[in-house]
Amino acid sequence: MPEVFAGGYECLTEERVPARFRGPGSVSATGTVGLTCGGFGLPEVTGTLTVDVDWRGRGPVTTQPPVPSECGLHVLLRGAELTGSITVEVPGVVPRTTAAVDGVPGTIRSARSDCPAGD
């Protein structure tokens, strides 16, 4: 869940930005969520966070060493490049501000467990 720092405020949300995972080759997240912002001695205010980003896999897929567990957790990793933008607006604190994230490096992770699905 996103966390944003804006104008002395810490802004949080319990909402999730919708994401679409298409394997280790591509992941995208697009949506707008409400923010609740506060800080020491500051009144609570609200705002919005809009995310429109894509991770594009680059290079080979590697396997993380197995994680000790009862279910045999397997994690695949692939380097990725992030593109898109993130916009924050908190009226009275931060005007609508957009940051481009083109070319930011990242990693796509995919985890698989051998445990049967819960009831």
Side-chain angles (χ1 to χ4, degrees):
M1 287 175 257
E3 178 178 12
V4 176
F5 294 92
Y9 283 82
E10 179 178 18
C11 302
L12 304 168
T13 184
E14 293 297 320
E15 300 174 59
R16 295 181 186 268
V17 175
R20 192 166 58 181
F21 177 76
R22 293 178 294 275
S26 175
V27 177
S28 62
T30 305
T32 299
V33 296
L35 296 171
T36 301
C37 308
F40 184 74
L42 297 171
E44 188 173 282
V45 295
T46 59
T48 58
L49 172 69
T50 301
V51 176
D52 185 7
V53 295
D54 291 296
W55 289 262
R56 298 283 181 218
R58 302 281 187 249
V61 175
T62 60
T63 303
Q64 180 176 324
V67 176
S69 72
E70 296 175 11
C71 298
L73 183 63
H74 306 279
V75 179
L76 300 178
L77 306 168
R78 186 171 189 195
E81 185 175 287
L82 183 61
T83 59
S85 64
I86 299 171
T87 301
V88 175
E89 183 174 17
V90 182
V93 176
V94 176
R96 184 176 175 87
T97 304
T98 300
V101 293
D102 296 338
V104 174
T107 304
I108 297 173
R109 290 183 161 90
S110 173
R112 180 180 57 90
S113 170
D114 294 330
C115 278
D119 294 314

